[in-house]
Amino acid sequence: MNRPAATLSSLYAAPLAVLIIAAYAPWAEAQETGESGRKQACDSAGLSLPRGFCATIFADNIGHARQLAVAPDGTVYVNTWSGVYYKNDKPPEGGFLVALKDKDGDGRADEIVRFGETVATGGHGGTGLALYKGAVYAEINDRIVRYALIGGAPEQEPETIVSGLPVTGDHPMHPFAIGSAGDLYVDLGSADNACEEKNRMPLSPGRNPCVELETRGGVWRYDANKRDQHFSPAERFASGLRNAEGLSVDPSGRIFATQHGRDQLAENWPRLYTPEEGQNLPAEILVELKHGADYGWPECYFDDKQEKLVLAPEYGGDGGQKIGVCAEKTPPVAFFPAHWAPNDMKIYHGAQFPAAYRGGAFIAFHGSWNRAPGPQGGYNVVFQPLSDGRASDPYVIFADGFAGAHKEPGRAEHRPSGLAIGPDGALYISDDQGGRIWRVTFEGGANITAIEAAPEPASAAATAAAAEPPEGVHPDASAEAALPIPPGASPDEVALGRRIFAGEIAGATCGGCHGTDGKGTPVGADLTSGTWLWGDGSLESLITTITNGVPEPKQHGGAMPPMGGVSLSEPEIRAVAAYVWALGHPN
């Protein structure tokens, strides 16, 4: 079969230690900006960045900021989202679209205007946003609409470009990109994990054929110049992409896309995959989109150790050896660690950063929820060098420190979600956890020419340094002591349940979905609210729910396999239930 690139093995096996050490010099206070040796203050705005790069907090608390774009006059347009993914919290007043302008040139927006649909008009916001021919194109609900810009301000009433896009299932968002000729490429993510007969349930076979591919799991192409187009299977441009949230066009016209890889190999197929394999498979990938190409989902996934697409267990796979129809699928051009969740990607076409960055891809990794019981990963922005559409060097972590002390969905301070390149070459990064926008600039001078990795974030180093005694102290230890004990249970059962919940015993994955603090994530309910959807909240009802799983959630997209997809004994199930009861019945 065709390989992603002739040198991928050497690229991705190459250690990054040299790059990381080179980048570790302190850079927060002052730096040389040219041969003259003139010093200029350079702040990182809480991020860890390579030498020579600075950041400002361009805007903050603007809502759940998703994708964004920057106009020629420097105005930054952002789409924000709402709903169950964010625990149905209250969006900011006004429209879901935001225009941000830095009028005094200090790297921070001092004019913020909200426009577009509101909660009152039935809007929920969206993900996708782009600029084309002096207009803002934005996703709202099942539509992509266009706001003409008159004197830099958007018109009040938008025109509908395409409507009827699918909004159900696991991936209801519609990121998109627009080429120079007006080709509108829209991601229609899958409604499920792997097109199984029962979504995310153990040993459930895949639907064959996967008829969902007629309407989901690929990229559709429309015309950004035409109004009132309607979704149909006929406009499918490429297939076999589970969720291609990051889309970008390079200067030569090539269109690239990232993919969120499938979940739960070990949980759903424990005889074929160990928990460690489930944490590390499949790789997230970057592909070059070709008309009519099939990139493999749901029949195949990419194994980064073997550097090839292999057959998924739902379609006859044996844990990574069989290839079958995957030999006919189109491989990626680059790959990344499993479950990091690439939410956006932009090809760098600016002139501000060193020349080595031009033509490469910045990728915003939203961060994992399903690497439990191992540590979660991502929550960063990486840079992937590209040459002629292929990986030319290993990726590096370009920006880190977004999550703060806790790299997990429920407790991360910030989660990278969108990227944009400004007309001056600055890089903008959005965050859908805290609603922050960063503006990253290069101030390093001509002596910095190579691509370098960011140093380890200060928060991560501090967390590691504070891990005493050697076995560590669980952050919720004092809270656990204060938890109530359910009738008929014991403190020892609650303590055991906490350890299982956190993944310390039996490889359990509860904390991945519900957060290690039990307060919920976008894919798992808040267990501390005292609201029970599948019983009366008693210990016995919780035991039943954990034993049977939740194949069809009422309020969340993440189905729960029986026992969370692992094998628990009856005492272990009872212990988890006791701990969950205690979380939901605070003193």
Side-chain angles (χ1 to χ4, degrees), residues 105-438:
D106 67 350
R108 298 168 178 82
D110 40 43
E111 181 178 280
I112 301 175
V113 177
R114 305 191 76 95
F115 66 101
E117 292 200 26
T118 67
V119 172
T121 62
H124 302 289
T127 291
L129 185 140
L131 297 171
Y132 177 67
K133 286 187 175 181
V136 177
Y137 288 69
E139 170 203 0
I140 182 78
N141 299 350
D142 69 334
R143 290 163 286 133
I144 294 174
V145 300
R146 176 174 61 198
Y147 290 86
L149 296 176
I150 308 299
E155 286 190 335
Q156 292 298 312
E157 295 300 325
E159 299 174 308
T160 297
I161 301 302
V162 60
S163 62
L165 301 172
V167 293
T168 57
D170 289 3
H171 306 113
M173 63 290 287
H174 307 107
F176 60 87
I178 303 176
S180 60
D183 290 319
L184 172 61
Y185 300 97
V186 185
D187 165 46
L188 297 180
S190 69
D192 44 44
N193 183 32
C195 203
E196 311 102 309
E197 292 181 1
K198 293 183 178 180
N199 187 30
R200 301 181 184 271
M201 290 295 104
L203 308 183
S204 179
R207 294 185 174 93
N208 198 1
C210 179
V211 295
E212 180 183 345
L213 288 170
E214 297 176 7
T215 57
R216 307 284 289 263
V219 173
W220 266 242
R221 182 174 61 182
Y222 294 92
D223 186 347
N225 299 293
K226 290 176 61 177
R227 295 183 300 175
D228 299 323
Q229 299 167 89
H230 297 280
F231 167 76
S232 78
E235 289 79 32
R236 187 178 68 186
F237 180 77
S239 186
L241 290 167
R242 180 174 176 269
N243 188 24
E245 283 204 47
L247 295 158
S248 187
V249 183
D250 76 1
S252 69
R254 287 178 292 219
I255 177 81
F256 292 88
T258 58
Q259 175 181 247
H260 283 231
R262 52 116 5 113
D263 306 322
Q264 297 168 309
L265 283 169
E267 291 88 344
N268 289 352
W269 301 90
R271 294 183 181 178
L272 298 178
Y273 301 91
T274 67
E276 290 73 22
E277 288 172 324
Q279 294 164 29
N280 295 300
L281 287 172
E284 310 287 40
I285 60 173
L286 175 69
V287 304
E288 181 184 353
L289 288 181
K290 300 280 190 178
H291 189 211
D294 183 341
Y295 298 90
W297 182 89
E299 296 165 301
C300 313
Y301 66 87
F302 192 79
D303 184 320
D304 59 332
K305 296 296 188 293
Q306 302 185 69
E307 294 190 22
K308 64 183 180 183
L309 290 162
V310 298
L311 201 61
E314 292 82 2
Y315 292 88
D318 58 358
Q321 299 305 309
K322 288 185 180 179
I323 296 175
V325 297
C326 306
E328 305 165 9
K329 310 300 184 182
T330 303
V333 301
F335 54 86
F336 310 92
H339 312 305
W340 276 21
N343 265 26
D344 202 5
M345 177 270 301
K346 289 293 181 289
I347 303 297
Y348 187 74
H349 52 73
Q352 182 184 130
F353 292 6
Y357 287 90
R358 291 172 202 162
F362 284 101
I363 304 175
F365 283 102
H366 199 226
S368 68
W369 61 270
N370 51 344
R371 290 178 68 90
Q376 302 298 343
Y379 302 86
N380 53 28
V381 174
V382 312
F383 179 75
Q384 173 61 65
L386 297 173
S387 177
D388 195 28
R390 296 292 183 270
S392 56
D393 276 305
Y395 76 89
V396 298
I397 295 177
F398 174 81
D400 207 350
F402 297 92
H406 302 288
K407 277 194 172 184
E408 61 176 75
R411 296 200 289 172
E413 293 177 11
H414 304 282
R415 302 184 71 183
S417 187
L419 299 169
I421 312 298
D424 62 349
L427 176 69
Y428 292 80
I429 306 169
S430 70
D431 146 48
D432 70 345
Q433 188 94 320
R436 180 170 291 183
I437 308 292
W438 287 267

